[in-house]
Amino acid sequence: GQQVMQIPQYQHVQEGEDFTTYCNSSTTLSNIQWYKQRPGGHPVFLIQLVKSGEVKKQKRLTFQFGEAKKNSSLHITATQTTDVGTYFCAGPSNQFYFGTGTSLTVIP
Amino acid sequence: DSGVTQTPKHLITATGQRVTLRCSPRSGDLSVYWYQQSLDQGLQFLIQYYNGEERAKGNILERFSAQQFPDLHSELNLSSLELGDSALYFCASSPSGNTNEKLFFGSGTQLSVL
């Protein structure tokens, strides 16, 4: 079946540093979605990328979809303590498969 | 508030028992998804329903079953519970169940099997 892997699994950064998580699929994706789960919370939709090579920005967050539509990345500039949580990518085929997630800790 | 309601929020039970988790999707959403999240684990897709019919099945054990009722609420039944079934179970919904729709998650049911 389809697998969506994310790296790193964990990331600790000092507040103000940048952060990047990478998502890799074993198959070509029709689109990719990103979700954020705060500690003790539930996943919340952040964004969807559809086009090959697409780049979208949300304030300090930059999302990219690879040219081959098999990988994606989320980059956070100048992290803040509010960025803490686990970031998941989701690569739907006939099902909604979520990546393994990257847990971000921001040290004040 | 996502609009997806899950009950109960917490459930503590013993091995060998059976429990039922309930989910009410957002108003107007026809598709419901169930996910299992173990401690420090990702979201494991269990099953998806659309308008009362099973649409997709993931890594759902034979001891688990689900259904979606005419009023579109869904129930996940877990039987012959084992310690390893302890996890956070999420329900999510979307309007049509198409793969280009975002999912709205409920707050989850924390299941503890003792």
Side-chain angles (χ1 to χ4, degrees):
Chain A
Q2 178 179 354
Q3 288 192 350
V4 180
M5 304 299 294
Q6 277 184 256
I7 54 171
Q9 187 175 1
Y10 301 96
Q11 185 76 60
H12 295 243
V13 299
Q14 288 288 145
E15 188 173 15
E17 290 182 341
D18 292 356
F19 159 77
T20 304
T21 174
Y22 300 90
C23 178
N24 295 290
S25 170
S26 56
T27 60
T28 301
L29 303 170
S30 59
N31 63 74
I32 196 160
Q33 299 181 356
W34 285 90
Y35 292 77
K36 176 183 179 181
Q37 183 178 17
R38 294 181 184 274
H42 58 275
V44 176
F45 174 83
L46 292 177
I47 206 162
Q48 176 172 270
L49 305 171
V50 178
K51 300 176 183 177
S52 169
E54 187 171 14
V55 178
K56 286 189 175 180
K57 292 189 176 184
Q58 288 181 350
K59 296 183 181 179
R60 295 177 295 103
L61 278 60
T62 301
F63 303 83
Q64 290 188 311
F65 201 7
E67 293 292 340
K69 301 183 76 172
K70 282 188 171 186
N71 57 76
S72 181
S73 65
L74 158 59
H75 178 83
I76 302 178
T77 303
T79 55
Q80 300 176 358
T81 54
T82 53
D83 296 324
V84 165
T86 301
Y87 293 85
F88 293 97
C89 61
S93 57
N94 62 331
Q95 304 176 22
F96 257 93
Y97 284 103
F98 278 75
T100 45
T102 295
S103 177
L104 173 64
T105 300
V106 179
I107 305 165
Chain B
D1 182 12
S2 66
V4 179
T5 304
Q6 287 188 249
T7 57
K9 291 190 182 302
H10 303 275
L11 198 50
I12 301 175
T13 189
T15 55
Q17 294 298 304
R18 171 190 169 95
V19 297
T20 297
L21 313 184
R22 182 187 169 99
C23 169
S24 293
R26 285 190 329 154
S27 177
D29 284 358
L30 299 179
S31 191
V32 169
Y33 305 75
W34 286 98
Y35 287 86
Q36 179 193 57
Q37 186 174 45
S38 302
L39 193 62
D40 291 334
Q41 296 295 310
L43 291 158
Q44 297 295 317
F45 171 74
L46 297 178
I47 200 163
Q48 178 197 3
Y49 280 83
Y50 172 75
N51 204 21
E53 300 291 325
E54 180 183 307
R55 175 170 279 191
K57 184 177 278 191
N59 302 319
I60 188 166
L61 300 172
E62 285 191 10
R63 299 183 286 108
F64 296 0
S65 65
Q67 54 184 326
Q68 185 179 26
F69 294 87
D71 67 353
L72 300 177
H73 91 271
S74 178
E75 293 181 356
L76 179 66
N77 301 295
L78 315 176
S79 62
S80 302
L81 285 168
E82 302 175 358
L83 296 178
D85 297 327
S86 295
L88 187 54
Y89 291 84
F90 284 110
C91 166
S93 74
S94 72
S96 304
N98 295 327
T99 57
N100 61 351
E101 294 176 344
K102 61 184 179 182
L103 301 188
F104 293 87
F105 282 80
S107 297
T109 293
Q110 180 67 59
L111 174 65
S112 298
V113 183
L114 306 179

